[in-house]
Amino acid sequence: MTTSEKKTTVIVGGGHAAGALMTTLLQKKYQHEVVLVGEEPHPPYQRPPLSKNYLAGEVEQASLYLKPRAVYEKAGQQLRLGVRVEQIDRDNKTIRLSDQSTLKYDQLVLATGSHVRRLRAPGSDLQGIHYLHDIADTDALREKLVPGTRLVIVGGGYIGLEVAASAIKKGVNVTVLEAADRLMQRVTGPEMSAFFYAKHIAAGVDVRLNTAVTGFEAGDQGRVAGVTLADGGTVPADIVLVSIGVIPETALAEAAGLPCDDGIVVDEFTRTGDPDILAIGDCTRHRNLFFEKMQRLESVANAVDQARTAAATLMGEEKPYDSAPWFWSNQYDVRLQMVGLSQNHDQRVLRGSTEDKEFAVFYLREGCVIAVDAVNLPVAFMVGKQLVQHRKSVSAEALSDPGADLKALV
Amino acid sequence: MGKITFIEHDNTEHVTEFEAGTTLMQIAVDNAVPGIDGDCGGECACGTCHMIVADEWFGKTGSIGDAEEQMLSMTPERAQTSRLGCQVKTTAAMDGLTVHLPEFQM
Ligand SMILES: Cc1cc2nc3c(=O)[nH]c(=O)nc-3n(C[C@H](O)[C@H](O)[C@H](O)COP(=O)(O)OP(=O)(O)OC[C@H]3O[C@@H](n4cnc5c(N)ncnc54)[C@H](O)[C@@H]3O)c2cc1C
Ligand code: FES
């Protein structure tokens, strides 16, 4: 290849999806110029530890990085960190950066991720109200988790609950406020919610369901002193963590006129409405051939799988995204592994008991396994991965009988 | 500092340098060795860091934990000396170790 044939691929955003794309292009010996522009000062890193062992102080910051920065650079990939992409000029195939420079691209990949949903309510700008999305957020929160502090967590999703588990271990007084009638309602079924509720209560967390938050009460010097509730009550707080979900980061794409619908709309090859622009990860509403409907997912599995699809698309291979999503969460001594999406199930089958140390819930639709949640039972997750991917129809008896070998089902 | 060799399914060799204490998964990832994804970052939660340790080295890689065994038990190309790379922390005694990579990860 002569230099004149060398093209430039620019990746916007430096998160997990961007990092996985850089890696895949390295592995596949992509011949073109690759430039990543990321707003954060860090090379691509993993966020899951931010609410798990990094928050607990068990691992170093450097271990969050997918790779040391030097690895990309040694291989000829460029990282421009601490710089934001402000605008895409599709006509001239140029982007404008926050340092006022411009960059030409032949192909652009948007990997802008998501940002936290803010709670807009009276007192929401008081000091001591935290959100958790990046390294700086975790560093700031960890510092505050000292014995005797009263931490109120707004939102009983997996991130809030992981923080609750870490904080209570450090001797913090933890209250979790959840508006719905069960925990992790968006991602799991009622058995799993009940199991985690019992776990947190047993550990000493004050979990309050059906509890809507209306705002924050001010204490001295503009600091938060409490969280006010719809029923008129107040929960006293020294610090608050608001963890009520994320919003896909689509502003750049929208301003450039790319189709968006609560996520940048992409097809199964990660292509947007512009043939020279792809999008991957949390920021997308995407087609995955595994599902009938378009999806928007916030998970590492989705970020890396779409990144690999995009790498193939960039290299002229047609490899559609068609894999079942999976996920994990660690709370206390519980290792939860999930595969598939359970929302549309019409039957749930429990293997083992939620009183046990290990059990699994299988979610079926029309007799086929569409999702599995496994607690301390990796084999059920692994079997589930295959059952879900191949839409296997399995009898409820075979799934629930602890005497029957799960592995025989695939 | 020592050397570990990763051999891809198509026999491509990657000779890497390592510091004791790093996991086999992380060494492969840091060197962009194709065939090792390590998607969960070493949590033993994904099964995408399957490696087959050369027979003569297997004894030096430590014991297989229960969660790892369950994950491996469903891994398609499981061999006698299979390990999840993220569960093998390297030691100075592993200088010279060779691992083979399966054709596919989970
Ligand atoms: C605390 C926490 C715990 C989690 N735990 C799990 C878990 O256990 N398992 C799991 O599967 N998933 C988990 N997730 C979700 C997972 O981390 C995300 O799905 C994943 O990071 C998505 O990757 P991404 O690259 O799409 O987005 P991100 O990782 O959010 O990266 C996007 C990046 O783009 C940058 N950016 C945005 N706009 C611009 C711009 N205009 N110019 C330059 N840069 C820009 C942002 O600063 C950011 O760094 C967790 C997330 C959090 C926050
Ligand atoms: S990296 Fe996920 S199991 Fe090893």
Side-chain angles (χ1 to χ4, degrees):
Chain A
M1 183 179 324
T2 64
T3 39
S4 63
E5 288 170 35
K6 210 158 181 153
K7 295 188 174 142
T8 303
T9 296
V10 177
I11 304 171
V12 183
H16 210 131
L21 176 57
M22 300 275 274
T23 296
T24 310
L25 292 175
L26 265 184
Q27 292 176 342
K28 292 172 78 114
K29 303 196 163 54
Y30 186 59
Q31 294 298 323
H32 300 287
E33 191 114 35
V34 178
V35 185
L36 176 150
V37 184
E39 190 178 11
E40 291 189 67
H42 306 283
Y45 65 89
Q46 338 170 33
R47 292 180 203 276
L50 297 182
S51 52
K52 304 180 180 73
N53 48 7
Y54 182 66
L55 177 68
E58 292 161 6
V59 296
E60 300 286 319
Q61 183 175 303
S63 77
L64 303 180
Y65 298 166
L66 295 176
K67 301 186 177 353
R69 180 174 183 168
V71 174
Y72 306 101
E73 289 172 336
K74 231 176 89 190
Q77 297 179 324
Q78 291 178 49
L79 284 86
R80 295 186 61 175
L81 304 178
V83 188
R84 189 177 164 77
V85 177
E86 302 276 8
Q87 198 188 14
I88 306 169
D89 175 350
R90 287 165 56 194
D91 294 334
N92 295 305
K93 295 178 79 171
T94 304
I95 56 173
R96 188 164 53 74
L97 312 186
S98 54
D99 61 6
Q100 299 311 319
S101 64
T102 56
L103 203 55
K104 275 199 87 62
Y105 66 85
D106 293 290
Q107 280 165 311
L108 190 67
V109 183
L110 302 174
T112 48
S114 52
H115 56 265
V116 293
R117 183 185 297 278
R118 302 254 155 199
L119 184 59
R120 305 259 175 244
S124 61
D125 51 0
L126 289 167
Q127 278 180 40
I129 300 177
H130 293 251
Y131 288 84
L132 191 53
H133 194 66
D134 58 27
I135 288 179
D137 293 338
T138 297
D139 289 344
L141 182 63
R142 190 194 305 105
E143 220 171 75
K144 305 282 172 53
L145 299 182
V146 293
T149 305
R150 294 167 303 175
L151 165 67
V152 177
I153 299 173
V154 180
Y158 74 91
I159 293 178
L161 294 175
E162 288 176 349
V163 172
S166 286
I168 201 100
K169 258 198 262 171
K170 295 186 176 215
V172 174
N173 294 325
V174 186
T175 305
V176 173
L177 307 176
E178 168 57 54
D181 60 2
R182 60 188 184 85
L183 297 173
M184 296 199 289
Q185 183 215 27
R186 212 164 50 93
V187 293
T188 193
E191 291 79 9
M192 221 35 98
S193 297
F195 170 77
F196 279 101
Y197 178 84
K199 269 274 163 199
H200 285 276
I201 295 288
V205 179
D206 179 3
V207 184
R208 304 194 198 171
L209 304 173
N210 301 304
T211 303
V213 167
T214 52
F216 305 95
E217 215 169 65
D220 295 340
Q221 294 166 341
R223 286 199 58 84
V224 68
V227 179
T228 56
L229 308 178
D231 68 5
T234 302
V235 186
D238 301 308
I239 45 170
V240 174
L241 171 71
V242 179
S243 183
I244 53 171
V246 295
I247 297 171
E249 186 60 65
T250 58
L252 203 56
E254 277 178 60
L258 294 170
C260 294
D261 169 19
D262 181 35
I264 306 168
V265 175
V266 295
D267 67 9
E268 64 271 31
F269 300 104
T270 73
R271 292 182 297 221
T272 66
D274 181 326
D276 298 317
I277 305 181
L278 309 181
I280 57 177
D282 275 17
C283 65
T284 64
R285 174 163 299 275
H286 58 267
R287 178 150 317 276
N288 173 344
L289 296 187
F290 188 73
F291 297 105
E292 275 163 31
K293 283 205 217 127
M294 299 286 279
Q295 301 288 332
R296 188 170 72 72
L297 294 173
E298 298 137 21
S299 77
V300 165
N302 177 59
V304 300
D305 285 340
Q306 279 197 297
R308 289 172 193 142
T309 304
T313 302
L314 287 170
M315 296 181 76
E317 303 162 19
E318 298 243 306
K319 274 199 7 234
Y321 181 20
D322 63 355
S323 45
W326 55 269
F327 194 80
W328 77 99
S329 176
N330 301 340
Q331 298 167 36
Y332 309 107
D333 55 351
V334 180
R335 170 197 297 278
L336 170 64
Q337 291 166 285
M338 314 165 102
V339 58
L341 295 181
S342 58
Q343 282 91 350
N344 295 321
H345 68 273
D346 55 27
Q347 188 183 7
R348 289 193 301 279
V349 180
L350 188 63
R351 184 183 181 87
S353 149
T354 54
E355 310 280 303
D356 296 345
K357 245 193 112 237
E358 41 187 65
F359 65 93
V361 182
F362 292 84
Y363 300 83
L364 283 75
R365 180 168 177 82
E366 292 166 6
C368 297
V369 180
I370 58 164
V372 182
D373 293 346
V375 165
N376 296 330
L377 199 56
V379 68
F381 167 76
M382 292 294 271
V383 168
K385 230 176 166 181
Q386 307 235 7
L387 297 179
V388 171
Q389 188 73 47
H390 301 114
R391 299 167 212 273
K392 270 262 197 163
S393 102
V394 184
S395 77
E397 294 71 42
L399 292 170
S400 65
D401 176 6
D405 185 10
L406 268 183
K407 286 177 251 170
L409 298 177
V410 295
Chain B
M1 188 76 101
K3 285 197 169 25
I4 286 180
T5 305
F6 295 91
I7 304 177
E8 283 184 66
H9 191 72
D10 67 2
N11 289 326
T12 311
E13 284 195 14
H14 301 261
V15 181
T16 63
E17 297 202 329
F18 77 102
E19 300 282 353
T22 319
T23 66
L24 286 180
M25 179 276 285
Q26 196 62 46
I27 296 166
V29 167
D30 284 354
N31 288 278
V33 175
I36 291 296
D37 298 334
D39 288 341
C40 73
E43 286 291 318
C44 198
C46 68
T48 67
C49 62
H50 177 212
M51 308 178 173
I52 298 152
V53 179
D55 289 351
E56 64 275 23
W57 285 98
F58 186 62
K60 291 224 160 56
T61 59
S63 57
I64 300 182
D66 175 47
E68 182 184 355
E69 176 53 41
Q70 288 192 38
M71 297 292 286
L72 283 172
S73 72
M74 282 304 298
T75 303
E77 298 162 75
R78 167 112 203 230
Q80 287 275 326
T81 59
S82 284
R83 292 297 311 261
L84 289 181
C86 68
Q87 300 303 303
V88 181
K89 221 179 197 165
T90 54
T91 62
M94 293 186 201
D95 186 9
L97 179 110
T98 301
V99 297
H100 297 266
L101 306 183
E103 187 171 7
F104 302 107
Q105 294 289 345
M106 266 302 284

